[in-house]
Amino acid sequence: MKKQLYFGGTILTMEDKARTAQALLVEDGVIAAVGRCEDFMEQAEGAQLIDLKGRVLMPAFIDPHSHFTSYAISLLQPSVEHCRTYEEIVQTIRAFLEKKQPPKGKWITVKGFDHNALEERVPPDRAVLDEAAPDNPLLLQHQSGHTGVLNTCGLKALAIDENTPAPAGGTIQKKDGRLTGYLEENALIEAMQKIPMPTPEELEGAYLEAQERYASYGVATMQEGMVMDVMTGMFELLCQKKLLKLDLIAYADFRSCDLFLKKFKAHIDRYQDHLKIGGYKVFLDGSPQARTAWLTKPYENGEGEFGYPAMTDEQLTERINQSLREGRQLLAHCNGDAAAQQYLNCFNRATGQLDDAPDIRPVMIHAQMLRPDQLPLMKQLGMMPSFFVAHVYHWGDVHLQNLGKERAQRISCADSALKEGIRFTFHQDSPVIEPNMLETVWCAVNRITKNGVKLGEEECIDVWEALKAVTIHAAYQYFEEKKKGSLAVGKQADLVILDQDPTAVAKESIREIRVLQTIKNGETVYRA
C-alpha cells in the first residue's frame, strides 16, 4: 500500500463545516484521513512524509467547461492575439508561412483574432487574408470561436460561393453581392467540420502539451465541450495510446454523434482510460463580443440588432426530450438572456409533461446575460449556470460598448445566483482563454475590466464561494461530488499545492498565486 502524509501547511478542505485541516493522509490514491496529525498517526505508519513547508494544499481544480481538443489543436496554430492592425495580422501570417513552409494547398488556421482589439474595429475581409496567404486556404478564427474569415482559397476549397445558402442560425456575409469571407455561428461550424484535421503525429504531441498546460493550472478534470463524429479518430488515438493522465468528460453534439457514441459506448457515464461521456451539448446562440448572442433588447449603437437563435423551440424541445428519455445530462450554450429564456421555457415544458422527470442536472453554459428575474425558474428546474465570469476582465470594456452600462454590470450574476440558493460553476472556455482557474476566481471576486473599470461590484462574491465554483460545485455538476471536489475520506486524491493561500492573500493578488504541484489519484502529474 502506498501512503502519503501531507502536513506543515494550510490545508483547505472546501468542506463548509471544517474548512481547514492540519494533515491529510492518502492511501493508494484515495484520501484515507483528514484532520489533526495526532488523530491518525498510527494509521499513517509507513507513509511518505510530505512537508508542505507553509504552502497550501487543496482539491485540484475541475474544469466545468472547455474544449480540450480545440485547445490542443490551437497549440499548432499561429496566433494574432496581440495584433492591433490588419497589417500586423498580414505580417504575422506571412512570418508563420515563411518559417513553416507549408506546401501550396495545405490548410492554415490562425487563432486569436478579435476585431474589438483592432484599430479598424471590424473583421478583415478575404482580400486582406489573400495578401497574407495567396496560395493556401486559410481560416482566421475569432477568439470567441463563433466567427471567422476565410480567404479566397479557403472559400474555393469549401465550395462556398455567392449562391451558397447560409444555414439556419448562421451567416455567410456578402457586400455588394460579393462574398467577404466572413462567417458566423452555424455557417462557421459547418465550414470547420470540412477542414482537414492535423496528422495523428501532430495531434499526439498537441494532446500531451495541452494536458501539461491544464495540469500546470492545477486542473485534474477537463472537459471536451462538444464532440462530433469527425473527431472519433482523435478519441481512438487518445485511448489506444493511453495519452490521458487527467480525467476528460466529453459531451456529444446531437447533430453528428452516432458513430462516436457507438465506438465509445463503454465510456458512457463511466471512465475508461480517463475518458467518460457525460451527455449532450447544444448551441442556442452566439457571443456578446461578436454581437451574435441572442438578446431580448437590442445591442447598443446598432439598427435593431438582437443577435439570433441557433435553434427553434421545436428543435430544442426534441433535444431536451431525448436527453430526458436517455437520462443523459444536457449542456446548453446560452450567452444572451433570450437564449437563456428559451432554454428555461423549453426545459420547463418538457419536464412538466413527465410524471417523474429524471435528474439530469442540466447546465446553462456561459449564462452571461442571465437576468436575476430568471433565477427562480432556474432553481425550480434544478438547472446550474456555469458562468464565463472571466469575460468581465477580458471583454468587459467591449460589453460596456455593446450592451450599455446597466446590462454590462449584470453579466455573470454570481452573487444573485448565490442569494437565490443556486449552485454555479466558473469556466474559462479554453481555447478562448487559458484554463487558468485562479484567474477566474480573481475575476469573480474583483470584477475589474482590462481598462480598470469596476464592473458590477454588487455581483462580486467572496473567495471561498469562488473556489467552491471550481472544486466542489464543479464536481456536483459532473455527478462526481462523492469522488471529487473536496478533501474528505473516500474521495480521490486529486490535489493541488499552491505557493499562497487564496483565502488569505489580498483579493487583488489571487491571480499571482503559483501552482507548484498537481496530483492526480495520488500521483504527481505536474511540478513547477
Side-chain angles (χ1 to χ4, degrees):
M1 180 177 288
K2 186 175 182 179
K3 296 182 182 181
Q4 297 116 354
L5 179 64
Y6 294 87
F7 67 98
T10 300
I11 297 178
L12 298 178
T13 67
M14 299 316 302
E15 294 276 347
D16 282 328
K17 291 183 179 178
R19 293 191 174 193
T20 60
Q22 293 180 358
L24 181 127
L25 178 65
V26 173
E27 294 182 357
D28 292 336
V30 177
I31 297 171
V34 58
R36 300 183 304 170
C37 280
E38 54 264 36
D39 291 339
F40 49 84
M41 285 306 297
E42 184 175 338
Q43 184 181 356
E45 185 177 351
Q48 176 189 3
L49 301 181
I50 302 174
D51 186 351
L52 294 170
K53 298 180 180 178
R55 295 169 296 187
V56 178
L57 179 74
M58 65 176 292
F61 300 129
I62 297 171
D63 158 36
H65 178 66
S66 71
H67 302 269
F68 174 60
T69 294
S70 292
Y71 181 70
I73 292 174
S74 77
L75 301 177
L76 303 172
Q77 299 167 347
S79 174
V80 293
E81 182 178 355
H82 301 294
C83 295
R84 294 295 174 260
T85 65
Y86 292 170
E87 180 59 27
E88 289 181 8
I89 289 175
V90 169
Q91 294 304 322
T92 299
I93 295 171
R94 281 179 173 173
F96 172 81
L97 295 175
E98 186 174 341
K99 179 180 179 181
K100 297 293 184 180
Q101 293 291 310
K104 289 184 178 182
K106 180 178 173 62
W107 270 95
I108 307 296
T109 300
V110 181
K111 66 179 179 180
F113 143 68
D114 184 359
H115 65 285
N116 297 294
L118 298 176
E119 289 182 7
E120 292 87 351
R121 304 297 293 176
V122 295
D125 64 16
R126 64 173 175 167
V128 175
L129 301 185
D130 289 347
E131 185 182 346
D135 300 319
N136 293 86
L138 182 143
L139 171 66
L140 177 66
Q141 191 171 4
H142 194 278
Q143 194 170 3
S144 68
H146 287 266
T147 71
V149 188
L150 292 165
N151 68 350
T152 299
C153 281
L155 289 167
K156 288 180 179 178
L158 298 177
I160 298 174
D161 60 27
E162 282 77 6
N163 298 315
T164 303
T171 297
I172 299 176
Q173 188 185 73
K174 298 176 187 176
K175 189 173 182 180
D176 299 326
R178 182 176 178 274
L179 291 174
T180 66
Y182 177 80
L183 307 178
E184 282 183 357
E185 305 303 338
N186 285 340
L188 177 66
I189 292 172
E190 287 189 6
M192 291 180 66
Q193 289 179 2
K194 299 173 184 176
I195 295 175
M197 296 293 180
T199 66
E201 294 75 20
E202 289 172 327
L203 268 175
E204 183 173 344
Y207 271 137
L208 291 173
E209 183 181 349
Q211 228 177 152
E212 178 76 6
R213 291 203 185 191
Y214 273 86
S216 76
Y217 291 114
V219 175
T221 300
M222 313 175 293
Q223 186 181 112
E224 186 66 77
M226 181 173 269
V227 186
M228 300 168 241
D229 280 343
V230 70
M231 298 165 66
T232 302
M234 299 177 173
F235 279 79
E236 288 177 325
L237 174 72
L238 275 174
C239 293
Q240 288 170 3
K241 293 213 167 186
K242 299 189 182 301
L243 299 180
L244 288 172
K245 57 186 178 181
L246 308 180
D247 287 344
L248 179 63
I249 306 174
Y251 289 83
D253 180 355
F254 281 105
R255 298 167 297 182
S256 174
C257 65
D258 291 346
L259 175 63
F260 173 73
L261 293 178
K262 181 179 179 181
K263 289 272 188 179
F264 290 92
K265 185 177 181 180
H267 297 257
I268 295 174
D269 294 330
R270 60 183 179 273
Y271 286 106
Q272 285 198 26
D273 299 316
H274 287 290
L275 172 66
K276 180 175 82 171
I277 298 173
Y280 293 112
K281 167 78 177 296
V282 293
F283 270 91
L284 300 188
D285 71 342
S287 72
Q289 69 269 42
R291 296 171 76 99
T292 56
W294 185 25
L295 306 179
T296 55
K297 295 181 181 179
Y299 286 93
E300 298 287 309
N301 306 314
E303 297 181 6
E305 289 181 78
F306 290 85
Y308 47 84
M311 300 179 75
T312 65
D313 286 0
E314 292 74 22
Q315 289 170 328
L316 175 56
T317 300
E318 181 182 344
R319 303 295 193 244
I320 292 170
N321 285 333
Q322 182 176 340
S323 297
L324 291 168
R325 282 195 308 272
E326 298 177 12
R328 302 251 181 95
Q329 190 176 35
L330 178 63
L331 275 55
H333 167 114
C334 304
N335 265 315
D337 59 337
Q341 195 63 53
Q342 182 188 35
Y343 190 30
L344 291 166
N345 289 345
C346 290
F347 201 90
N348 189 33
R349 283 195 296 269
T351 53
Q353 294 172 1
L354 300 175
D355 293 331
D356 187 20
D359 176 18
I360 64 170
R361 294 186 191 173
V363 181
M364 184 181 290
I365 298 294
H366 305 326
Q368 288 200 70
M369 299 308 299
L370 180 70
R371 304 188 311 267
D373 65 281
Q374 294 172 314
L375 292 172
L377 179 54
M378 173 173 270
K379 182 178 181 181
Q380 175 189 321
L381 297 173
M383 187 179 289
M384 291 183 70
S386 185
F387 293 117
F388 194 172
V389 72
H391 254 256
V392 172
Y393 174 72
H394 288 276
W395 290 282
D397 301 302
V398 174
H399 296 332
L400 282 166
Q401 297 172 17
N402 285 344
L403 302 168
K405 184 177 180 180
E406 181 182 351
R407 284 187 294 179
Q409 288 182 322
R410 212 169 55 218
I411 65 171
S412 297
C413 58
D415 191 62
S416 295
L418 190 63
K419 289 173 180 173
E420 193 68 34
I422 295 174
R423 287 187 182 94
F424 55 82
T425 62
F426 294 139
H427 64 265
Q428 296 285 85
D429 200 22
S430 303
V432 176
I433 54 177
E434 289 292 304
N436 184 346
M437 308 317 285
L438 284 169
E439 179 186 64
T440 208
V441 169
W442 174 85
C443 289
V445 302
N446 290 289
R447 291 186 67 101
I448 297 172
T449 73
K450 281 186 175 179
N451 289 342
V453 177
K454 192 82 169 180
L455 191 62
E457 188 169 7
E458 65 277 7
E459 292 294 351
C460 290
I461 61 174
D462 69 33
V463 178
W464 184 257
E465 294 297 339
L467 288 171
K468 285 170 68 175
V470 295
T471 53
I472 195 164
H473 288 340
Y476 180 87
Q477 178 184 303
Y478 286 132
F479 292 85
E480 295 187 346
E481 67 271 21
K482 293 182 180 178
K483 298 179 181 179
K484 300 177 183 176
S486 69
L487 304 184
V489 173
K491 292 193 175 185
Q492 292 177 193
D494 289 0
L495 315 170
V496 62
I497 298 175
L498 308 175
D499 70 342
Q500 298 180 79
D501 182 354
T503 67
V505 301
K507 63 181 183 179
E508 296 81 10
S509 303
I510 290 171
R511 66 174 175 174
E512 297 169 14
I513 294 173
R514 292 179 61 231
V515 172
L516 301 177
Q517 193 172 341
T518 303
I519 298 146
K520 175 68 183 158
N521 298 115
E523 299 292 336
T524 297
V525 291
Y526 169 79
R527 193 186 301 272

